[in-house]
Amino acid sequence: MPSLFDPIELGAIKAPNRILMAPMTRARGTRDHVPTPIMVDYYAQRASAGLIISEAIGINQLGLGWPYATGLWSPEQIAGWRRITDAVHENGGRIIAQLWQMGRVVHPSFLSGEAPVSASATIAPNYAHTYGGKKPYEQARALSIDEIAELVQHFRQGALNAIEAGFDGVQLHASNGYLIDQFLRDSSNFRDDRYGGSIENRARFLREATEAVADAIGADRVGVRLSPNGETQGVRDSNPLPLFTAVLEMLSEIGIAHLELREPPIDGTFGVGEMDPLARQLRHAFKGPLILNSDFKFARAQAALDEGVGDAVAFGRPFIANPDLPKRFAEKIPLAADDPTTWFSQGIQGYVDYPSDAQ
C-alpha cells in the first residue's frame, strides 16, 4: 500500500505526496470579496502540500454569505486569485478552487434584504455570521426550475474563471449543508418536481452542475466534496448509505478526477458524526482517487491508506499552524498548535506568522 509521502495522480494533477491541504474559510478577503495580499503569503507558505484545496470561493453574490470570504465572479476577484495561484506555482505547489454556493445559510443582510435560496422553503438552525455579528437565519425560498438552470451555468462560469485565475482545477462544494447538499438530503429537500423525491432526482442538481463544469474545463480537472456522515448545519439524510452510494456511482460515471469525503468520526473534535464514517462502505462505488478528511492525525491517516479505504488525506487545522506539515510528518517533528481565536480574524496574526521549515 502507498504511504502518505508517495506521489499520486489526481486527474491532470500530479501531486508529489498524499498530504493534501483541506479547504478552510479564513475570512481574509475584503468586504467586496476580493483576495488580499496576505492571502498570497498564506497559500505560498503551504505549497509543499501534495495539493491545496482552496478555501470555499463564492460563484455569485446570491450564494456568498460569510464576512470577508472571497468570490470568483468579478475581474478584481479573478486578478486577486491569480496573484495567489502564481505564488503557489512559483513555490512548486498545486492548487484548485473550491466552488461555493451556500444556499439557505446566506443571511439576507448579504442580499440587500432579499431572501436566500434553497431546494425548498426551509430555515437553517442556529445563527449566521454577518458583518453585524451573529443573527438568526431566515427562511429561504425554493428555487424555480429556471433558476436552477441559471445556477448550473454559474458553476460552469465559476470553473472557467478559476482556470483564468490560474487554478489547476476546481472542486464543487457539495457538502456541509450548503446548497448542493440541501438538494441531496431529504431533511432539506421537499420538492415534488424532477429535483426532489427520489435519490436520482435529489442528485440531479449535482449531476448537472458537475457535468457542466467538466464540459467547460475537462473532467480531469474536476473534484467534488461530499459529507455523507451525519448532520451539518441542519442538513441530514434518513438513509445516507444508498443515497451516497448512488451519488458516488454517478460521479464515477461522469469521470471526475477525485472525490473528497468529509466525515467527522463519532468522537471527533471538530464536528461529530452520527455514525461511523461510511468511506469503507462507499469505496467500491467510486473508481477514481478517494480523499478522506476530518480529524485525521498522521497514524490514522496512514492506516486508512494501508487498509485501502482512501488514496490521500486532506488535513485542515494542522496546516493552519504548520505551513510545512509534510516535512514535520516526514521528520517526526512535533506539530505547533493553532489559535482558534484567529481563525476568522482579518489580520496576519494566526495566519501568516506561524514558523515554516520546522524552525
Side-chain angles (χ1 to χ4, degrees), residues 61-62 64-66 103-117 122-123 127-131 135-141:
Q61 181 60 74
L62 179 67
L64 184 52
W66 190 279
R104 72 181 191 178
V105 291
V106 176
H107 191 270
S109 61
F110 290 91
L111 306 173
S112 301
E114 295 184 14
V117 299
T122 58
I123 304 175
Y127 295 87
H129 293 272
T130 76
Y131 290 115
K135 296 181 181 180
Y137 287 109
E138 298 188 17
Q139 181 167 299
R141 63 175 180 83

Side-chain angles (χ1 to χ4, degrees), residues 213-253:
V213 168
D215 178 69
I217 68 170
D220 62 348
R221 295 191 180 276
V222 178
V224 171
R225 188 186 221 215
L226 300 168
S227 53
N229 173 20
E231 176 270 336
T232 312
Q233 300 193 102
V235 176
R236 58 162 55 85
D237 197 80
S238 61
N239 197 4
L241 186 57
L243 167 64
F244 286 99
T245 298
V247 169
L248 264 66
E249 290 173 346
M250 174 192 80
L251 295 171
S252 191
E253 174 189 321

Side-chain angles (χ1 to χ4, degrees), residues 105-312:
V105 291
V106 176
H107 191 270
S109 61
F110 290 91
L111 306 173
S112 301
E114 295 184 14
V117 299
S118 187
S120 301
T122 58
I123 304 175
N126 302 318
Y127 295 87
H129 293 272
T130 76
Y131 290 115
K134 290 188 176 182
K135 296 181 181 180
Y137 287 109
E138 298 188 17
Q139 181 167 299
R141 63 175 180 83
L143 286 159
S144 70
I145 295 289
D146 288 344
E147 288 176 316
I148 293 171
E150 290 177 7
L151 279 173
V152 167
Q153 292 309 307
H154 286 178
F155 273 104
R156 181 181 188 277
Q157 188 60 53
L160 290 171
N161 291 349
I163 297 302
E164 182 181 348
F167 285 99
D168 299 299
V170 303
Q171 181 191 69
L172 279 74
H173 199 341
S175 65
N176 295 23
Y178 296 118
L179 183 64
I180 296 177
D181 205 19
Q182 292 160 28
F183 272 83
L184 283 176
R185 300 203 266 180
D186 60 16
S187 71
S188 51
N189 185 340
F190 306 114
R191 303 178 72 98
D192 58 7
D193 58 15
R194 65 178 183 267
Y195 290 95
S198 68
I199 287 175
E200 180 182 7
N201 283 354
R202 283 183 278 136
R204 191 180 306 277
F205 179 37
L206 174 58
R207 174 187 280 276
E208 291 177 349
T210 305
E211 288 178 338
V213 168
D215 178 69
I217 68 170
D220 62 348
R221 295 191 180 276
V222 178
V224 171
R225 188 186 221 215
L226 300 168
S227 53
N229 173 20
E231 176 270 336
T232 312
Q233 300 193 102
V235 176
R236 58 162 55 85
D237 197 80
S238 61
N239 197 4
L241 186 57
L243 167 64
F244 286 99
T245 298
V247 169
L248 264 66
E249 290 173 346
M250 174 192 80
L251 295 171
S252 191
E253 174 189 321
I254 294 172
I256 64 171
H258 45 85
L259 176 71
E260 182 188 8
L261 298 181
R262 180 186 181 270
E263 295 191 278
I266 292 174
D267 59 350
T269 58
F270 189 64
V272 178
E274 296 179 339
M275 63 196 78
D276 287 332
L278 297 175
R280 187 173 280 100
Q281 295 168 268
L282 293 170
R283 169 71 271 196
H284 73 280
F286 184 71
K287 306 308 179 187
L290 185 65
I291 302 165
L292 307 177
N293 172 261
S294 199
D295 282 299
F296 279 91
K297 293 182 171 57
F298 179 83
R300 179 171 164 247
Q302 185 58 59
L305 268 59
D306 292 343
E307 296 167 16
V309 179
D311 301 293

Side-chain angles (χ1 to χ4, degrees), residues 35-36 39-41 43-44 79-89 95 165 167:
T36 54
M39 293 174 61
V40 176
D41 295 335
Y43 281 102
W81 274 110
R82 183 79 208 203
R83 288 188 283 273
I84 295 168
T85 60
D86 283 349
V88 169
H89 292 147
I95 182 170
F167 285 99

Side-chain angles (χ1 to χ4, degrees), residues 324-344:
D324 53 347
L325 186 64
K327 178 177 180 178
R328 288 179 183 252
F329 279 162
E331 298 182 9
K332 297 181 173 56
I333 299 170
L335 300 188
D338 61 286
D339 178 4
T341 66
T342 63
W343 284 355
F344 308 123

